[in-house]
Coordinates of all heavy atoms in Angstrom, one line a residue:
D22 N -4.8 1.5 -10.5 CA -4.5 0.3 -11.3 C -3.5 -0.5 -10.5 O -2.4 0.0 -10.1 CB -3.8 0.8 -12.6 CG -4.8 1.5 -13.5 OD1 -5.8 0.8 -13.9 OD2 -4.6 2.7 -13.8
V116 N -6.0 -26.0 11.7 CA -5.8 -24.6 11.7 C -5.3 -24.1 13.1 O -4.4 -23.3 13.3 CB -7.0 -23.8 11.3 CG1 -6.9 -22.3 11.6 CG2 -7.2 -23.9 9.8
R168 N 3.3 -7.2 18.3 CA 3.1 -6.8 16.9 C 4.2 -7.4 16.0 O 4.1 -8.0 15.0 CB 3.1 -5.3 16.7 CG 2.3 -4.8 15.5 CD 2.3 -3.3 15.5 NE 2.0 -2.7 16.7 CZ 2.5 -1.5 17.1 NH1 3.4 -0.9 16.4 NH2 2.1 -1.0 18.3
E320 N 16.9 22.8 7.8 CA 16.0 21.7 8.0 C 16.6 20.7 8.9 O 17.8 20.5 8.9 CB 15.6 21.1 6.6 CG 14.9 22.0 5.7 CD 13.5 22.3 6.0 OE1 12.9 21.5 6.8 OE2 12.9 23.3 5.6

Side-chain angles (χ1 to χ4, degrees):
D22 292 298
V116 166
R168 207 179 313 144
E320 295 288 340

